[in-house]
mmCIF file with all atom_site columns, all heavy atoms in Angstrom:
data_model
loop_
_atom_site.group_PDB
_atom_site.id
_atom_site.type_symbol
_atom_site.label_atom_id
_atom_site.label_alt_id
_atom_site.label_comp_id
_atom_site.label_asym_id
_atom_site.label_entity_id
_atom_site.label_seq_id
_atom_site.pdbx_PDB_ins_code
_atom_site.Cartn_x
_atom_site.Cartn_y
_atom_site.Cartn_z
_atom_site.occupancy
_atom_site.B_iso_or_equiv
_atom_site.pdbx_formal_charge
_atom_site.auth_seq_id
_atom_site.auth_comp_id
_atom_site.auth_asym_id
_atom_site.auth_atom_id
_atom_site.pdbx_PDB_model_num
ATOM 1  N N   . ASP A 1 74 ? 0.776  -9.154  30.953 1.00 0.00 ? 74 ASP A N   1
ATOM 2  C CA  . ASP A 1 74 ? 0.019  -9.285  29.677 1.00 0.00 ? 74 ASP A CA  1
ATOM 3  C C   . ASP A 1 74 ? 0.741  -10.290 28.726 1.00 0.00 ? 74 ASP A C   1
ATOM 4  O O   . ASP A 1 74 ? 0.077  -11.103 28.039 1.00 0.00 ? 74 ASP A O   1
ATOM 5  C CB  . ASP A 1 74 ? -0.078 -7.943  28.960 1.00 0.00 ? 74 ASP A CB  1
ATOM 6  C CG  . ASP A 1 74 ? -1.221 -7.092  29.605 1.00 0.00 ? 74 ASP A CG  1
ATOM 7  O OD1 . ASP A 1 74 ? -2.185 -7.620  29.994 1.00 0.00 ? 74 ASP A OD1 1
ATOM 8  O OD2 . ASP A 1 74 ? -0.915 -5.894  29.690 1.00 0.00 ? 74 ASP A OD2 1
ATOM 9  N N   . LEU A 1 75 ? 2.074  -10.329 28.757 1.00 0.00 ? 75 LEU A N   1
ATOM 10 C CA  . LEU A 1 75 ? 2.802  -11.300 27.991 1.00 0.00 ? 75 LEU A CA  1
ATOM 11 C C   . LEU A 1 75 ? 2.500  -12.732 28.609 1.00 0.00 ? 75 LEU A C   1
ATOM 12 O O   . LEU A 1 75 ? 2.157  -13.648 27.816 1.00 0.00 ? 75 LEU A O   1
ATOM 13 C CB  . LEU A 1 75 ? 4.397  -11.066 28.093 1.00 0.00 ? 75 LEU A CB  1
ATOM 14 C CG  . LEU A 1 75 ? 5.178  -12.166 27.389 1.00 0.00 ? 75 LEU A CG  1
ATOM 15 C CD1 . LEU A 1 75 ? 4.973  -12.145 25.836 1.00 0.00 ? 75 LEU A CD1 1
ATOM 16 C CD2 . LEU A 1 75 ? 6.686  -11.830 27.629 1.00 0.00 ? 75 LEU A CD2 1
ATOM 17 N N   . LYS A 1 76 ? 2.550  -12.860 29.938 1.00 0.00 ? 76 LYS A N   1
ATOM 18 C CA  . LYS A 1 76 ? 2.276  -14.139 30.481 1.00 0.00 ? 76 LYS A CA  1
ATOM 19 C C   . LYS A 1 76 ? 0.913  -14.723 30.252 1.00 0.00 ? 76 LYS A C   1
ATOM 20 O O   . LYS A 1 76 ? 0.582  -15.836 30.111 1.00 0.00 ? 76 LYS A O   1
ATOM 21 C CB  . LYS A 1 76 ? 2.584  -14.090 32.049 1.00 0.00 ? 76 LYS A CB  1
ATOM 22 C CG  . LYS A 1 76 ? 4.035  -13.936 32.356 1.00 0.00 ? 76 LYS A CG  1
ATOM 23 C CD  . LYS A 1 76 ? 4.306  -13.893 33.926 1.00 0.00 ? 76 LYS A CD  1
ATOM 24 C CE  . LYS A 1 76 ? 5.687  -13.504 34.266 1.00 0.00 ? 76 LYS A CE  1
ATOM 25 N NZ  . LYS A 1 76 ? 5.963  -12.041 34.139 1.00 0.00 ? 76 LYS A NZ  1
ATOM 26 N N   . SER A 1 77 ? -0.138 -13.642 30.325 1.00 0.00 ? 77 SER A N   1
ATOM 27 C CA  . SER A 1 77 ? -1.530 -14.166 30.191 1.00 0.00 ? 77 SER A CA  1
ATOM 28 C C   . SER A 1 77 ? -2.013 -14.194 28.789 1.00 0.00 ? 77 SER A C   1
ATOM 29 O O   . SER A 1 77 ? -3.143 -14.417 28.550 1.00 0.00 ? 77 SER A O   1
ATOM 30 C CB  . SER A 1 77 ? -2.389 -13.218 31.110 1.00 0.00 ? 77 SER A CB  1
ATOM 31 O OG  . SER A 1 77 ? -2.301 -11.859 30.599 1.00 0.00 ? 77 SER A OG  1
ATOM 32 N N   . GLY A 1 78 ? -1.121 -13.745 27.857 1.00 0.00 ? 78 GLY A N   1
ATOM 33 C CA  . GLY A 1 78 ? -1.578 -13.756 26.403 1.00 0.00 ? 78 GLY A CA  1
ATOM 34 C C   . GLY A 1 78 ? -2.518 -12.601 25.977 1.00 0.00 ? 78 GLY A C   1
ATOM 35 O O   . GLY A 1 78 ? -3.309 -12.704 25.054 1.00 0.00 ? 78 GLY A O   1
ATOM 36 N N   . THR A 1 79 ? -2.509 -11.516 26.792 1.00 0.00 ? 79 THR A N   1
ATOM 37 C CA  . THR A 1 79 ? -3.424 -10.388 26.500 1.00 0.00 ? 79 THR A CA  1
ATOM 38 C C   . THR A 1 79 ? -2.706 -9.202  25.858 1.00 0.00 ? 79 THR A C   1
ATOM 39 O O   . THR A 1 79 ? -3.320 -8.148  25.905 1.00 0.00 ? 79 THR A O   1
ATOM 40 C CB  . THR A 1 79 ? -4.122 -10.053 27.805 1.00 0.00 ? 79 THR A CB  1
ATOM 41 O OG1 . THR A 1 79 ? -3.136 -9.857  28.850 1.00 0.00 ? 79 THR A OG1 1
ATOM 42 C CG2 . THR A 1 79 ? -5.092 -11.115 28.270 1.00 0.00 ? 79 THR A CG2 1
ATOM 43 N N   . LEU A 1 80 ? -1.447 -9.384  25.402 1.00 0.00 ? 80 LEU A N   1
ATOM 44 C CA  . LEU A 1 80 ? -0.851 -8.337  24.674 1.00 0.00 ? 80 LEU A CA  1
ATOM 45 C C   . LEU A 1 80 ? -1.572 -8.080  23.299 1.00 0.00 ? 80 LEU A C   1
ATOM 46 O O   . LEU A 1 80 ? -2.164 -9.031  22.770 1.00 0.00 ? 80 LEU A O   1
ATOM 47 C CB  . LEU A 1 80 ? 0.605  -8.753  24.396 1.00 0.00 ? 80 LEU A CB  1
ATOM 48 C CG  . LEU A 1 80 ? 1.661  -8.638  25.544 1.00 0.00 ? 80 LEU A CG  1
ATOM 49 C CD1 . LEU A 1 80 ? 2.975  -9.276  25.069 1.00 0.00 ? 80 LEU A CD1 1
ATOM 50 C CD2 . LEU A 1 80 ? 1.837  -7.323  26.028 1.00 0.00 ? 80 LEU A CD2 1
ATOM 51 N N   . THR A 1 81 ? -1.450 -6.863  22.766 1.00 0.00 ? 81 THR A N   1
ATOM 52 C CA  . THR A 1 81 ? -1.896 -6.666  21.396 1.00 0.00 ? 81 THR A CA  1
ATOM 53 C C   . THR A 1 81 ? -1.019 -7.491  20.503 1.00 0.00 ? 81 THR A C   1
ATOM 54 O O   . THR A 1 81 ? 0.175  -7.826  20.925 1.00 0.00 ? 81 THR A O   1
ATOM 55 C CB  . THR A 1 81 ? -1.779 -5.221  21.011 1.00 0.00 ? 81 THR A CB  1
ATOM 56 O OG1 . THR A 1 81 ? -0.432 -4.718  21.079 1.00 0.00 ? 81 THR A OG1 1
ATOM 57 C CG2 . THR A 1 81 ? -2.636 -4.323  21.923 1.00 0.00 ? 81 THR A CG2 1
ATOM 58 N N   . ARG A 1 82 ? -1.414 -7.845  19.285 1.00 0.00 ? 82 ARG A N   1
ATOM 59 C CA  . ARG A 1 82 ? -0.619 -8.529  18.359 1.00 0.00 ? 82 ARG A CA  1
ATOM 60 C C   . ARG A 1 82 ? 0.711  -7.911  18.097 1.00 0.00 ? 82 ARG A C   1
ATOM 61 O O   . ARG A 1 82 ? 1.733  -8.604  18.150 1.00 0.00 ? 82 ARG A O   1
ATOM 62 C CB  . ARG A 1 82 ? -1.427 -8.662  16.982 1.00 0.00 ? 82 ARG A CB  1
ATOM 63 C CG  . ARG A 1 82 ? -0.759 -9.493  15.940 1.00 0.00 ? 82 ARG A CG  1
ATOM 64 C CD  . ARG A 1 82 ? -1.486 -9.554  14.644 1.00 0.00 ? 82 ARG A CD  1
ATOM 65 N NE  . ARG A 1 82 ? -1.848 -8.196  14.169 1.00 0.00 ? 82 ARG A NE  1
ATOM 66 C CZ  . ARG A 1 82 ? -1.145 -7.394  13.474 1.00 0.00 ? 82 ARG A CZ  1
ATOM 67 N NH1 . ARG A 1 82 ? 0.208  -7.798  13.176 1.00 0.00 ? 82 ARG A NH1 1
ATOM 68 N NH2 . ARG A 1 82 ? -1.480 -6.235  13.048 1.00 0.00 ? 82 ARG A NH2 1
ATOM 69 N N   . GLU A 1 83 ? 0.750  -6.576  17.949 1.00 0.00 ? 83 GLU A N   1
ATOM 70 C CA  . GLU A 1 83 ? 1.991  -5.911  17.628 1.00 0.00 ? 83 GLU A CA  1
ATOM 71 C C   . GLU A 1 83 ? 2.952  -6.095  18.814 1.00 0.00 ? 83 GLU A C   1
ATOM 72 O O   . GLU A 1 83 ? 4.099  -6.342  18.626 1.00 0.00 ? 83 GLU A O   1
ATOM 73 C CB  . GLU A 1 83 ? 1.754  -4.438  17.406 1.00 0.00 ? 83 GLU A CB  1
ATOM 74 C CG  . GLU A 1 83 ? 0.892  -4.145  16.144 1.00 0.00 ? 83 GLU A CG  1
ATOM 75 C CD  . GLU A 1 83 ? -0.549 -4.162  16.385 1.00 0.00 ? 83 GLU A CD  1
ATOM 76 O OE1 . GLU A 1 83 ? -1.107 -4.659  17.388 1.00 0.00 ? 83 GLU A OE1 1
ATOM 77 O OE2 . GLU A 1 83 ? -1.315 -3.780  15.454 1.00 0.00 ? 83 GLU A OE2 1
ATOM 78 N N   . SER A 1 84 ? 2.505  -5.828  20.074 1.00 0.00 ? 84 SER A N   1
ATOM 79 C CA  . SER A 1 84 ? 3.325  -5.892  21.188 1.00 0.00 ? 84 SER A CA  1
ATOM 80 C C   . SER A 1 84 ? 3.834  -7.400  21.357 1.00 0.00 ? 84 SER A C   1
ATOM 81 O O   . SER A 1 84 ? 5.011  -7.548  21.771 1.00 0.00 ? 84 SER A O   1
ATOM 82 C CB  . SER A 1 84 ? 2.615  -5.551  22.472 1.00 0.00 ? 84 SER A CB  1
ATOM 83 O OG  . SER A 1 84 ? 2.743  -4.212  22.692 1.00 0.00 ? 84 SER A OG  1
ATOM 84 N N   . GLN A 1 85 ? 3.001  -8.300  21.155 1.00 0.00 ? 85 GLN A N   1
ATOM 85 C CA  . GLN A 1 85 ? 3.297  -9.696  21.278 1.00 0.00 ? 85 GLN A CA  1
ATOM 86 C C   . GLN A 1 85 ? 4.576  -10.049 20.400 1.00 0.00 ? 85 GLN A C   1
ATOM 87 O O   . GLN A 1 85 ? 5.573  -10.561 20.739 1.00 0.00 ? 85 GLN A O   1
ATOM 88 C CB  . GLN A 1 85 ? 2.147  -10.551 20.885 1.00 0.00 ? 85 GLN A CB  1
ATOM 89 C CG  . GLN A 1 85 ? 2.464  -12.100 20.633 1.00 0.00 ? 85 GLN A CG  1
ATOM 90 C CD  . GLN A 1 85 ? 3.004  -12.802 21.913 1.00 0.00 ? 85 GLN A CD  1
ATOM 91 O OE1 . GLN A 1 85 ? 2.626  -12.487 23.033 1.00 0.00 ? 85 GLN A OE1 1
ATOM 92 N NE2 . GLN A 1 85 ? 3.996  -13.727 21.715 1.00 0.00 ? 85 GLN A NE2 1
#
Side-chain angles (χ1 to χ4, degrees):
Chain A
D74 285 320
L75 177 65
K76 290 182 191 80
S77 61
T79 52
L80 286 174
T81 61
R82 183 180 53 79
E83 293 86 348
S84 272
Q85 167 62 37

